[in-house]
Amino acid sequence: MVRLPTLTRSGLVHGFSTTETGSVGLTHAPDASPVLAARRRFAEELGVDPSAFTVAGAVHGCTVARVDEPVELIPGVDGLVSNRRDVALFATYADCLPVLAFDPEAGAIGLAHAGWRGTNGGVAGALVAAFQAHFGSRPEDLVVGLGPCICGRCYEVGPEFADLFPPAVLAPGGGDRLRLDLREANRRQLAEAGVRRDRMEALEICTLESPQFFSHRRSPDGSRFAAVVALS
Ligand SMILES: [Zn+2]
């Protein structure tokens, strides 16, 4: 398991599962039992009850749901927020960016799944807005962690992305292609929503380059790693 030092110091229960834990993605798994076993192993590593896991369905949108009790799966959302101690927010990834957030003042947590579609739709901003709407959070109080994702050197996209993202998060790729820095695109969005840059921490790990994490581009077999956040 990999963790973010700032979130650890904030007293938050959180972590990113690795390939060593095994795939935790159910959607494309031919057999659910090894996936459920991996989820139980990860719960044990985190020190949380596996029945607390509440999974974001993840559809590359920007809908954020408030969780008031542990639920196996919340379909159709890419973000979750909660202020309950019996809930562990859970989402799965393979190149998309995990965005974890904590409001120590309101005692609330949030988790988002940000691929290019969700980022383009503003899922990180929607996560901040959900903290404000549900818990009266002030964006400047939020502590935000960005997990492993495909990096700005590896993530080649088509020329049409010039119409979707600001030039600051795009670089030239091969031929007419571009490269997208998903992490920086989300950092900018969070900053625009009022999150302080000095309260954001990113794990500068590339899922495509690091064998520690599942990558859809390296092996498109449906394997996923998890990000989890819970109140201690
Ligand atoms: Zn990379």
Side-chain angles (χ1 to χ4, degrees):
M1 170 169 60
V2 172
R3 303 172 76 197
L4 282 152
T6 305
L7 293 189
T8 303
R9 276 196 300 277
S10 304
L12 207 58
V13 175
H14 78 285
F16 306 96
S17 69
T18 65
T19 45
E20 206 179 303
T21 311
S23 175
V24 295
L26 271 180
T27 311
H28 306 284
D31 179 5
S33 56
V35 171
L36 296 173
R39 288 186 180 189
R40 282 193 299 272
R41 275 198 298 280
F42 189 40
E44 200 169 309
E45 270 188 88
L46 288 159
V48 306
D49 185 338
S51 68
F53 282 162
T54 297
V55 181
V59 290
H60 298 282
C62 48
T63 305
V64 179
R66 173 180 173 156
V67 184
D68 287 320
E69 60 181 344
V71 187
E72 217 166 284
L73 175 75
I74 302 187
V77 305
D78 283 81
L80 299 171
V81 292
S82 183
N83 60 356
R84 289 277 303 250
R85 291 191 179 274
D86 57 347
V87 165
L89 306 180
F90 185 112
T92 68
Y93 305 82
D95 294 335
C96 292
L97 174 72
V99 181
L100 286 65
F102 175 42
D103 179 351
E105 303 302 321
I109 50 174
L111 178 65
H113 168 263
W116 75 261
R117 282 192 194 86
T119 303
N120 184 47
V123 70
L127 186 71
V128 174
F131 271 93
Q132 293 174 285
H134 294 295
F135 311 118
S137 296
R138 296 184 309 171
E140 60 269 31
D141 290 334
L142 295 180
V143 181
V144 174
L146 304 176
C149 72
I150 188 166
C151 81
R153 291 182 308 276
C154 291
Y155 194 8
E156 261 206 351
V157 295
E160 69 280 7
F161 275 62
D163 299 328
L164 304 177
F165 291 94
V169 301
L170 292 167
D176 67 347
R177 310 219 6 118
L178 296 166
R179 291 175 214 271
L180 172 63
D181 188 338
L182 210 50
R183 216 175 261 135
E184 184 55 22
N186 279 276
R187 256 195 221 109
R188 289 169 64 96
Q189 211 176 95
L190 289 158
E192 277 163 26
V195 178
R196 288 168 48 170
R197 282 220 175 222
D198 62 2
R199 293 207 177 175
M200 298 180 205
E201 182 182 27
L203 273 178
E204 299 293 338
I205 298 174
C206 172
T207 46
L208 182 61
E209 294 175 81
S210 167
Q212 227 186 340
F213 294 96
F214 292 109
S215 161
H216 175 69
R217 279 156 195 80
R218 194 176 61 237
S219 39
D221 61 0
S223 296
R224 299 283 184 271
F225 68 91
V228 166
V229 60
L231 293 165
S232 55

